[in-house]
C-alpha cells in the first residue's frame, strides 16, 4: 500500500508547486514603495519647460502617476483606457514621459488624445530610477498625503480600471 | 591534430568582456564598481546582472552606481539605494532573511532527502541480494543432497 501512496503524495506535492508556478508573474516585482511617500522630484513640464512640478504641489489630491513613452508599444494599447478614465474626472492623471523626445511625446498626445492633467519629462530616466521603474508603462496611485498606495506594472486594461483603480480611487477620495 | 589545435584555440579565446567599462580614478572604486554591477540584477532581463546586460535600464543603473561611487558612497549605501527602489529582487544574491530563507535552505534539504533515499535504496537492495544468495545456496544443497541420497541408496550405476 505504501508503495502506491508515496509516489502519489510526491506527485501531488509536485503538481501543487507547478500549479502555483503557473500563476506566478515573474515580471511583476513587488514594489517596496507601497504605503511609502512618493519620492520627491522637481521636473520640467512637457508643455511648459519653464515650469516645474513636484509631488508637494499635489498634496491633498489623489493622483495617478503614469509612466509612459512614445516608443513604448504597450503604452499605445493602454492609451485609450487612460483617455476614458480621464473623461470620468475621477482622479488627476500625471504623466511621467520617460526617456522620450519631447517632440515625439507631443506628437503622440496630439494624435492619440491627451488624458493627462500634466506631464513631466524624465529624459535621462533618473526619476524613473527613484520610482523603481523597470518597464513601461507603470502606474502609481498616490493618496492625499502623498503616499504611494498601489503600483500597477504593465498596461492598464478596462477590467483593471473597473476592478482595481476606480474602487481604490473612490476609497482614497473619502480619506482626509 | 589540426582539429585538436583548432578546438584548443577556440577554448582559449572564450573570454568575455563587460558591455561597457567606465574608468574610475581610484583603484578601489573601480573594484567596487565591478563587484556592484555584478551583484545587481537587470530588472528588464531578469537573469542577467547589470554588468552583463546592455538593456537601457541596465545602462542607467550602471551610471547610477558610477555616479554614487564618484560621490564617495560606500558599497552598502549603494546596495541600500537600489533595494529601497527595486526591492530585494535587484540583488542577484538574495539576502538571508525570513522571506528568502527557503531559497537558501531548499538545496540542502533536497540534498539530504536525496542522500536518505539513496541510503535506503542501497540497503534494501543489499538485503534482497543476501536473501537471494542464501536461497540459491540452499537450493544447491538440496540438489546435492538428493544426488548423495540417490548414490547412497542405489550405488554408483556408472
Amino acid at each position: 500500500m505504501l508503495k502506491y501512496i508515496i509516489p502519489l503524495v510526491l506527485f501531488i506535492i509536485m503538481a501543487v508547486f507547478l500549479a502555483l508556478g503557473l500563476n506566478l508573474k515573474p515580471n511583476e516585482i513587488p514594489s517596496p514603495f507601497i504605503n511609502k511617500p512618493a519620492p520627491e522630484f522637481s521636473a520640467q513640464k512637457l508643455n511648459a519647460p519653464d515650469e516645474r512640478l513636484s509631488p508637494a504641489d499635489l498634496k491633498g489630491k489623489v493622483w495617478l502617476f503614469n509612466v509612459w513613452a512614445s516608443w513604448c508599444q504597450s503604452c499605445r494599447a493602454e492609451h485609450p483606457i487612460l483617455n476614458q478614465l480621464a473623461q470620468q474626472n475621477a482622479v488627476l492623471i500625471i504623466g511621467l514621459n520617460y526617456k522620450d523626445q519631447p517632440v515625439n511625446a507631443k506628437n503622440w498626445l496630439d494624435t492619440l488624445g491627451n488624458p493627462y492633467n500634466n506631464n513631466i519629462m524624465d529624459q535621462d530616466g533618473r526619476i524613473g530610477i527613484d520610482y523603481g521603474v523597470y518597464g513601461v508603462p507603470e502606474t502609481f496611485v498616490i493618496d492625499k498625503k502623498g503616499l504611494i498606495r498601489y503600483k500597477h506594472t504593465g498596461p492598464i486594461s478596462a477590467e483593471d480600471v473597473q476592478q482595481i483603480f476606480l474602487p481604490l480611487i473612490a476609497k482614497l477620495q473619502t480619506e482626509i | 591534430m589540426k582539429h585538436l589545435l583548432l578546438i584548443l584555440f577556440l577554448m582559449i579565446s572564450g573570454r568575455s568582456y563587460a558591455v561597457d567599462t567606465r574608468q574610475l580614478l581610484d583603484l578601489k572604486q573601480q573594484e567596487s564598481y565591478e563587484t556592484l554591477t555584478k551583484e545587481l540584477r537587470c530588472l528588464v532581463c531578469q537573469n542577467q546582472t547589470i554588468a552583463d546586460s546592455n538593456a537601457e535600464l541596465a545602462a542607467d543603473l550602471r551610471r547610477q552606481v558610477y555616479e554614487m561611487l564618484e560621490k564617495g558612497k560606500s558599497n552598502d549605501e549603494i546596495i541600500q539605494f537600489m533595494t529601497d527602489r527595486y526591492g530585494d529582487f535587484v540583488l542577484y544574491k538574495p539576502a538571508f532573511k525570513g522571506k528568502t530563507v527557503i531559497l537558501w535552505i531548499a538545496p540542502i534539504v533536497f540534498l539530504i532527502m536525496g542522500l536518505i533515499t539513496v541510503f535506503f535504496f542501497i540497503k534494501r537492495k543489499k538485503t534482497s541480494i543476501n536473501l537471494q544468495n542464501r536461497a540459491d545456496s540452499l537450493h544447491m544443497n538440496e540438489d546435492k543432497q538428493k544426488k548423495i541420497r540417490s548414490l547412497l541408496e542405489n550405488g554408483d550405476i556408472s
Side-chain angles (χ1 to χ4, degrees), chain A residues 17-103:
Chain A
F17 270 97
L18 290 175
L20 287 176
L22 275 181
N23 290 315
L24 286 180
K25 291 180 184 154
N27 287 325
E28 280 183 21
I29 301 164
S31 173
F33 284 111
I34 302 304
N35 293 327
K36 299 231 172 86
E40 276 302 322
F41 56 76
S42 172
Q44 289 178 302
K45 291 181 182 172
L46 177 68
N47 53 3
D50 303 333
E51 292 174 32
R52 290 183 167 261
L53 184 77
S54 75
D57 303 332
L58 299 158
K59 275 264 164 74
K61 287 173 185 147
V62 180
W63 50 294
L64 295 191
F65 195 37
N66 176 251
V67 186
W68 68 284
S70 65
W71 45 260
C72 154
Q73 281 301 315
S74 328
C75 300
R76 199 168 276 269
E78 185 186 59
H79 202 77
I81 309 285
L82 288 179
N83 281 336
Q84 282 168 22
L85 183 61
Q87 277 174 0
Q88 302 186 30
N89 274 327
V91 65
L92 277 183
I93 306 178
I94 308 296
L96 178 71
N97 186 230
Y98 178 70
K99 305 199 78 162
D100 207 351
Q101 296 297 325
V103 184

Side-chain angles (χ1 to χ4, degrees), chain A residues 46 101-108:
Chain A
L46 177 68
Q101 296 297 325
V103 184
N104 297 345
K106 281 179 194 158
N107 233 332
W108 160 290

Side-chain angles (χ1 to χ4, degrees), chain A residues 26 99 124 126 129-130, chain B residues 46 56 60 63 67 85-86:
Chain A
K99 305 199 78 162
D124 53 10
R126 281 174 206 275
I129 289 180
D130 277 341
Chain B
Q46 305 209 343
E56 264 198 55
D60 287 354
R63 179 193 64 197
E67 286 172 357
R85 282 158 182 74
Y86 292 100

Side-chain angles (χ1 to χ4, degrees), chain A residues 36-41 53-67 85 90-96 116-118 120 127 131 139-150 165 168-169 172-173:
Chain A
K36 299 231 172 86
E40 276 302 322
F41 56 76
L53 184 77
S54 75
D57 303 332
L58 299 158
K59 275 264 164 74
K61 287 173 185 147
V62 180
W63 50 294
L64 295 191
F65 195 37
N66 176 251
V67 186
L85 183 61
V91 65
L92 277 183
I93 306 178
I94 308 296
L96 178 71
Y116 301 103
N117 297 83
N118 242 318
I120 55 167
I127 299 172
Y131 276 78
T139 307
F140 298 83
V141 181
I142 295 153
D143 71 8
K144 292 181 180 173
K145 287 181 204 146
L147 301 179
I148 293 179
R149 299 292 287 269
Y150 177 70
F165 283 91
L168 179 63
I169 290 163
L172 295 183
Q173 295 286 15

